[in-house]
Structures are given as structure tokens and as C-alpha cells.
Amino acid sequence: MNLKQIAKDTAKTLQSYLTYQALRTVLAQLGETNPPLELWLHNFSSGKIQNGESFIEQLLREKPDLALRIMTVREHIAEEITEFLPEMVRTGIQQSNMEQRRQHLERITRIDTSNPSLQPEQQATSDPNLDNLSN
């Protein structure tokens, strides 16, 4: 397990996600101030946002002012969330793991009541009075 590579991949994924969130913010702002430009950016970004850096590079060639705006918003979002993000991720994973384990334990310990043929056998083996009758 290469933890350094995992960290790099995670950071890249987070960076792309923050680019997406910045795009959503800018689209909402443009929707109020410049609907034609909002439509253009929406159409331009369709299918391109999975890789945030590639998206920014393409947008810089087409409309540098929009790319710079998205980069500024993305940077602001990153500054605001990085302080508490690590603890939120750890806590979220711990809670999710605990819930998944609980559900798994419930599934594997659940008695199947939909099959009535199993119930008499279970009662017969667990009823000590029935054992005495066979003697």
C-alpha cells in the first residue's frame, strides 16, 4: 500500500470536486446576473468537469475570465474547508464503517421466518421435554 500515492490521488479527486463546486457557484451567480453566459458555461462544462484541471485548461483557452473566476472561487472554498475537513472525513468513515458493520451483523444473525419448515425442527431440538419423550 503506497500511502503517498493514495494521498496524491485523493488530493486530485478533491481538487476536481472543488472545481465542480466552484463551477456550480459561478453558474448560480451567472444565472442571476448574466443568463446567456450561464447557459454558455453550462453547455461548455457538460461532460468535461470530471477532471478539474483539464476543465480549467480548456476554459482558459475559451473564456479566461470565467476560468479565473472559477479558480478564485475554488481557492476560497478550499481555504474555508481545509481546517475541519480531515476530522470530518475520519469521523464520517468511522461512523459509516460502524453502521455497515451493524447492518451486516443484523443480516447474518436474522432468523429466516419465511420458511415455516425450519421452525418445528428448531423447536424440537431446543425443547428438552421432547427429548425425554423419546426415551
Side-chain angles (χ1 to χ4, degrees):
M1 176 181 345
N2 185 345
L3 293 178
K4 193 174 233 180
Q5 187 60 46
I6 292 170
K8 285 180 182 180
D9 293 346
T10 302
K12 185 175 180 179
T13 300
L14 181 57
Q15 196 169 330
S16 287
Y17 182 72
L18 293 179
T19 303
Y20 165 74
Q21 288 298 330
L23 171 65
R24 287 184 48 185
T25 300
V26 171
L27 283 169
Q29 293 167 347
L30 290 174
E32 294 177 9
T33 61
N34 190 342
L37 187 56
E38 184 258 347
L39 181 61
W40 181 90
L41 181 58
H42 178 76
N43 290 335
F44 176 83
S45 63
S46 180
K48 297 178 184 168
I49 195 65
Q50 281 74 22
N51 182 330
E53 292 313 300
S54 175
F55 169 72
I56 293 291
E57 288 174 19
Q58 292 174 32
L59 188 57
L60 276 168
R61 290 187 198 105
E62 294 289 324
K63 293 212 184 279
D65 56 327
L66 282 177
L68 293 170
R69 185 172 175 177
I70 290 172
M71 289 169 22
T72 300
V73 171
R74 173 177 72 169
E75 188 173 350
H76 175 73
I77 294 170
E79 288 171 0
E80 293 296 318
I81 69 165
T82 53
E83 181 181 326
F84 50 87
L85 185 64
E87 183 59 34
M88 288 180 71
V89 170
R90 275 192 296 272
T91 302
I93 287 174
Q94 289 169 347
Q95 289 175 345
S96 176
N97 285 351
M98 187 170 36
E99 179 63 20
Q100 292 294 339
R101 287 178 179 124
R102 183 189 64 76
Q103 289 176 7
H104 177 68
L105 183 60
E106 286 178 357
R107 273 193 306 274
I108 64 173
T109 58
R110 188 176 301 139
I111 297 175
D112 186 8
T113 58
S114 63
N115 191 348
S117 65
L118 292 178
Q119 290 176 345
E121 291 174 13
Q122 290 171 344
Q123 290 174 351
T125 58
S126 64
D127 191 348
N129 292 330
L130 292 177
D131 291 340
N132 293 337
L133 292 177
S134 62
N135 292 336

